[in-house]
Amino acid sequence: MLFYICLSWVLLLLFTGSTVSELIVTGEVGQDVTVPCRYSTGNRNGITSMCWGRDRCPNSKCSRPIIWTDGWRVTEQHSSRYQLKGDLQEGDVSLTIVSATEADSGIYCCRVELPGWFNDQLINHKVVVKKARISTASPHTYTSEQTSVPGSSSESSFAVTTTWPSVSASEAPQTASANCSAPSACLDVTADLQNTSVSLPNQQHPERGLYIGAGSCAALLLILILALFLT
């Protein structure tokens, strides 16, 4: 009876094997992807061999091995793209995939061979390598306002319209000081003012001219009378 119990326990260990943990690691295409894996060296007394494989960890060794180390240095390497950049003697056996591609996605096994039966440290990693995200945001549109430089041909010109009130002829001298809308209009107003100023004396003293005319007629008449007496 004891024999059957021991045989069942051995078979259970053989088929179940060591406890295996599983982690997920993500990365981008073209970038280096590091798959972590460490073990305790116990002051370098526990330095041991390990392997990486591209499949789930089997009962022994690694399926489809890609790299091996004896604990001190790398002994086998499937490709230069698979590297162990950590300190092996400190138990850092993390795998670095250089310039990862989508084909590098899959299951990776880290197996550290520890002394004793069924004591190996097993870690399965699911590596997912994706393409880099491309931004789909629409480009911003910037509208610049153009400002005309003073003196340029594109500068806007503004026409100022002056409305003149309607005045009579007698009010023309009082409106002569108003602003002019154009140089030609100023000349016309100046000429009108000059004509008005010349004609003002004759209009202001009509009686004086009448007296001068009557005096002239009387003098001529007196001269004619004297000429008759003398003849």
Side-chain angles (χ1 to χ4, degrees), residues 7 23 29 61 64 86 94 98-99 130 162 165 170 175 197 207 218:
L7 180 61
L23 301 175
V29 173
K61 307 301 180 179
R64 300 170 59 192
S94 300
V98 179
S99 300
K130 299 180 180 180
T162 305
S170 61
T175 60
S197 62
E207 295 179 356

Side-chain angles (χ1 to χ4, degrees), residues 44-217:
R44 298 188 179 184
N45 294 326
I47 295 176
T48 183
S49 60
M50 62 84 55
C51 64
W52 279 95
R54 287 211 58 178
D55 206 341
R56 294 188 180 277
C57 297
N59 293 330
S60 63
K61 307 301 180 179
C62 291
S63 299
R64 300 170 59 192
I66 56 177
I67 197 167
W68 278 88
T69 173
D70 60 1
W72 300 91
R73 61 185 179 84
V74 175
T75 56
E76 294 183 19
Q77 190 174 12
H78 177 71
S79 171
S80 59
R81 294 181 57 247
Y82 302 119
Q83 299 180 10
L84 301 181
K85 295 184 177 182
D87 189 346
L88 301 181
Q89 298 177 11
E90 293 295 330
D92 186 0
V93 289
S94 300
L95 175 67
T96 299
I97 306 174
V98 179
S99 300
T101 63
E102 290 184 289
D104 292 319
S105 299
I107 303 297
Y108 288 76
C109 168
C110 173
R111 187 184 195 101
V112 179
E113 298 178 335
L114 300 177
W117 286 14
F118 314 110
N119 289 334
D120 291 354
Q121 176 181 311
L122 310 178
I123 303 177
N124 289 324
H125 294 272
K126 182 179 181 181
V127 178
V128 179
V129 182
K130 299 180 180 180
K131 293 182 179 179
R133 294 181 179 180
I134 301 176
S135 176
T136 58
S138 58
H140 297 284
T141 303
Y142 300 94
T143 304
S144 59
E145 296 181 358
Q146 296 181 354
T147 305
S148 300
V149 179
S152 64
S153 59
S154 60
E155 181 181 6
S156 302
S157 60
F158 299 91
V160 179
T161 304
T162 305
T163 304
W164 294 87
S166 59
V167 296
S168 59
S170 61
E171 296 176 350
Q174 285 76 14
T175 60
S177 60
N179 294 330
C180 302
S181 60
S184 60
C186 293
L187 295 176
D188 295 340
V189 173
T190 305
D192 293 341
L193 290 175
Q194 292 176 354
N195 296 333
T196 304
S197 62
V198 172
S199 61
L200 283 177
N202 295 332
Q203 295 176 2
Q204 293 176 357
H205 306 283
E207 295 179 356
R208 184 177 178 183
L210 181 60
Y211 292 152
I212 294 174
S216 299
C217 292

